[in-house]
Amino acid sequence: MRTIFLIITLFLLPAINSYGHEPANNEQEITINEKLGSYVPADIIFSDEDGKPVMMKDLLGKPTVIAPVYLSCTNTCPVLLISLADVIGKVNMQEGKDYIVLAVSFDEKDTPQLAAQKKQDYLKAINRPFTGNAWKFLTGSSESIRKFTQAVGFQFQPEEAGFSHPVTLIFLAPDGKIVRYLNGATFLPFEFELA
């Protein structure tokens, strides 16, 4: 099943650039305003996939990879997350020690229950043993989402069937400083390790 999904994904990748769904209108620009050198606020509170409140400062402390997604997406977010799982399975780094991963939902309607389900799916896609605690799936309130997306320069827009949004990974230093963006939905292991 994983092989079939990866084959389908490979056919979709040429059609996906660094943006998700096309915007329904031009009310707001759909883009990444890279904020290299800025910090993600340490006091943002999300819920993890177990429904426990977690503060951003308690999640940091190691290099951190953030995937901004919404969990009900059927278009580019699954492609981004399967590509992330694939590259995680290939890098010569140890999760939990060398880095952690956060999938941060920008849809306030996403729930910890859905996050837990998606987490299990993507952990399986890594295709090797992986410390589950090193990849958190976070959901939050509209206030937490707004604070986070503004801090990282992630501009998205609701539309009738989901969201128009950029497709990117955001890399943080252990202190929460934004150090790199990898735009698009495909990543090479050396790019990931370097970032």
Side-chain angles (χ1 to χ4, degrees):
M1 185 68 178
R2 182 176 186 272
T3 304
I4 293 170
F5 187 76
L6 285 174
I7 290 170
I8 292 170
T9 300
L10 290 175
F11 281 110
L12 290 174
L13 288 177
I16 297 172
N17 58 21
S18 60
Y19 298 94
H21 314 279
E22 289 300 314
N25 58 52
N26 292 324
E27 289 177 14
Q28 178 182 327
E29 190 175 359
I30 310 303
T31 189
I32 285 286
N33 176 18
E34 292 190 6
K35 297 194 173 186
L36 295 171
S38 297
Y39 290 82
V40 172
D43 62 345
I44 301 176
I45 298 174
F46 287 103
S47 293
D48 69 11
E49 62 277 354
D50 296 321
K52 296 177 184 171
V54 290
M55 195 172 285
M56 187 60 75
K57 70 177 181 180
D58 297 326
L59 297 170
L60 302 176
K62 296 185 179 356
T64 302
V65 182
I66 298 179
V69 294
Y70 72 100
L71 301 176
S72 61
C73 180
T74 58
N75 192 349
T76 53
C77 297
V79 175
L80 174 67
L81 292 172
I82 198 72
S83 181
L84 177 56
D86 185 56
V87 79
I88 286 170
K90 294 176 180 174
V91 295
N92 294 314
M93 301 169 66
Q94 185 176 346
E95 71 280 354
K97 179 183 174 190
D98 298 322
Y99 69 99
I100 63 165
V101 181
L102 303 175
V104 179
S105 173
F106 55 86
D107 183 356
E108 64 187 86
K109 295 177 184 171
D110 281 342
T111 64
Q113 294 79 13
L114 181 57
Q117 175 192 332
K118 297 294 183 180
K119 176 175 179 170
Q120 291 310 309
D121 293 342
Y122 292 109
L123 287 179
K124 288 176 190 170
I126 294 173
N127 213 23
R128 68 164 176 81
F130 184 88
T131 305
N133 212 31
W135 191 348
K136 294 278 189 189
F137 278 65
L138 306 178
T139 56
S141 67
S142 59
E143 181 183 348
S144 294
I145 291 166
R146 180 188 49 76
K147 197 170 183 180
F148 168 75
T149 56
Q150 286 181 350
V152 299
F154 185 88
Q155 297 178 6
F156 66 98
Q157 181 174 308
E159 58 180 25
E160 193 173 320
F163 295 89
S164 295
H165 62 91
V167 180
T168 192
L169 293 180
I170 303 165
F171 292 78
L172 306 182
D175 61 356
K177 183 179 183 179
I178 301 168
V179 295
R180 182 81 189 270
Y181 292 78
L182 284 181
N183 297 319
T186 56
F187 318 102
L188 298 173
F190 84 89
E191 286 181 304
F192 185 91
E193 292 177 6
L194 185 62

